Amino acid sequence: MSDTLVRSRNRIRAVVTNPQITAVIVCVVCFVAPAVMVIRGAFRTAAVGQTDWTTESFLSVLTRPRTWDVVWTTVGMGLVTVLVSTLVAATFAAVYTRTRTPLRTLIPVIMGIVVATPGLFFAISWGLLGNPRIGLINEGLAALFGEAARVVNMESWWGVVFASAIRLVALQFFLLLGPFLAMDNSLDEAARMSGASPTRAFFQIQLPVLLPAISGVMILVFILFLESFDVAQILGVPANIYVIPTEIYAYLSQSTGPQYAHASTLSILLMIILFALVLVQIRILGRRSFTTVGGKEARGLLRDVGKWKWLFSGLIVIYALLATVLPSIQLVMVSLSPFLGATSGYSLRNYEAVLGDSRMIEAYGNTAAIAAIGGLLAVTASMILTWTARFRAGPMARIIEFSQWIGLAMPGLVLALGVLWLFLGLPFLHQFYGTPIILMFALFIITMPIASQATRGAMAQVPRSLEEAAWTSGASKAKGLFMIVGRLILPSFVSGWVLCFVIICGTLSAPLLLAGPQATFLSVEVYKLYTEGRAPVAAAAFVLLILGFAALYLLATLLRLVIRRLALPPRGAEPPVPTLGPTPSTPVEASATQTLATSRAALKGSRR
């Protein structure tokens, strides 16, 4: 056998056995194809069948005055939301990292609860809280100042902004926590010694240094607001206030039939805006560092702020009330009411109605199954894709790594539309339309960035030498991945699975479009109950879901403790410890990709 033939066979064998090739194909099908199908759908006359290519729908949407009214409404609401949430989040980050304010240790706990709460909870609970007739806030104002004081109405422009900002504050807090912790206090000390007041030192010294981090986070949060659907649909649409995602859904839910090409055109416009913002953010974060790091003695200094500490403590209490306590109380009160607005006759009848409804029980079962399987697939796939990306450096590794973040430029509703086009456009996928398969596929794509963030950091802490030692001992690459790497990152794997489960259960946009009439999904059923005027039953269903989340969290906590006790690492290695954020002793240098990953892991539920 000639040397040329042997070399050719070796090259073919290397190509066939290269796991990156399979990974690239998976990434193209799962992440690139839906985006391509959305663009393709804007120039088709119908969703299925032999259709003609046309630009009529595309041009009609772009030349329609209502389209640009919706765009400007979206941009205006987004800017106000970002400004408000950034100001509040930066204040909490400064209080937590710079002061000895009482209750400061509760800030991360409160923010963690808010981040883990589905966006649908905020939409429904604040829709009830700010109801002019029966809302708890208006009831309190009326009791104090009379009936004329019922001025709060959440189904309004400012209502959408407030409910969106109250949740985005928590996400921004965690994103800004690292830069604030790693800030060099010697700069502040030098300013103070030169005679500057604490306020002047903060605004003229610390704030400019933190500006790259703050500006990058602001752009990211603006992206997340453009992607949000739940709050805008529940609070904005009843007041005839539309943003781009709700306008897309309006095209798809026309009484005369879905206008797929119109929805795809508007989706392209939103994708262009989001993609441009992602590029701007990468440019900002890529050129400058988040932090200025000095010696160990220059960091971690907490200051006594005098009487200001009571103001800051009051802000912590107020945010906790607005973000967690009042929404929970309102939701529980409504769930016990015989009808919306009742002040007596509280009972468990609504819970009995939920538990006695076979369709709702089926929705709970379907949602739990889809969330468990979809979350497990997402975390497993993210582990495998991350492993293949670091298996060999090169163009394919970069494709694998960055294609998973295409979802950042595709809101849940747009991604669901792309998945719908994909399944309707390929003959062998037609049979899955309206089944849990198509919904699970879309939710799998939605949660992939979250799952990737949960496993990427843990996997980076596992040295390649352990896998190489296993290969040398005769283990296959797959066995080394699951028995060595998988074993070491198991706590992070479980955490990612739980997070994906919670986000899938609370996602509304994709199930609202892809769940067929016979395929029940809990968020869709709760949304239908709320819009049909059966708010007490919807509230009871959501309270049961929150109780289920709490039980799942306790179970996951126990499971992680058992894993840490029983799953001892191989000799010479220590398992990576998952963390919620940077520690004061760790300098934070966040790249653009890491920031995008962190935001997706913390929110989308937000987004979806």
Side-chain angles (χ1 to χ4, degrees), residues 22 55 101 147 157 197 293 306 377 396 412 420 432 515 547 551 584 589:
T22 303
T55 60
T101 298
E147 290 297 319
W157 197 93
S197 65
V293 180
L377 290 175
M396 286 193 293
L420 178 64
F432 298 114
L547 292 176
E589 294 290 339

Side-chain angles (χ1 to χ4, degrees), residues 70-85:
V70 170
V71 170
W72 291 121
T73 299
T74 305
V75 172
M77 295 178 72
L79 290 176
V80 175
T81 300
V82 169
L83 291 175
V84 172
S85 62

Side-chain angles (χ1 to χ4, degrees), residues 302-316:
L302 301 180
R303 298 189 181 279
D304 188 353
V305 291
K307 295 181 179 180
W308 286 94
K309 64 184 179 183
W310 304 116
L311 174 63
F312 295 149
S313 296
L315 291 177
I316 296 171

Side-chain angles (χ1 to χ4, degrees), residues 11-28 388 391-392 396-397 400:
R11 291 193 188 98
I12 295 174
R13 185 180 296 109
V15 171
V16 173
T17 58
N18 186 359
Q20 289 186 335
I21 296 178
T22 303
V24 168
I25 295 174
V26 171
C27 289
V28 169
T388 56
F391 180 76
R392 182 181 301 166
M396 286 193 293
I400 295 169

Side-chain angles (χ1 to χ4, degrees), residues 379-396:
V379 179
T380 304
S382 68
M383 181 181 71
I384 296 174
L385 291 177
T386 301
W387 177 81
T388 56
R390 75 171 190 166
F391 180 76
R392 182 181 301 166
M396 286 193 293

Side-chain angles (χ1 to χ4, degrees), residues 455-524:
T455 59
R456 184 188 301 272
M459 190 174 293
Q461 300 176 50
V462 180
R464 289 293 303 274
S465 59
L466 294 179
E467 292 182 82
E468 293 170 355
W471 301 340
T472 304
S473 302
S476 64
K477 291 182 175 60
K479 188 174 182 179
L481 170 62
F482 288 99
M483 298 302 296
I484 303 297
V485 178
R487 185 179 176 186
L488 291 174
I489 70 169
L490 195 56
S492 295
F493 187 95
V494 173
S495 298
W497 187 6
V498 172
L499 183 59
C500 290
F501 183 94
V502 171
I503 290 175
I504 289 176
C505 288
T507 298
L508 175 62
S509 56
L512 197 60
L513 181 59
L514 297 178
Q518 304 303 322
T520 56
F521 197 83
L522 185 60
S523 62
V524 177

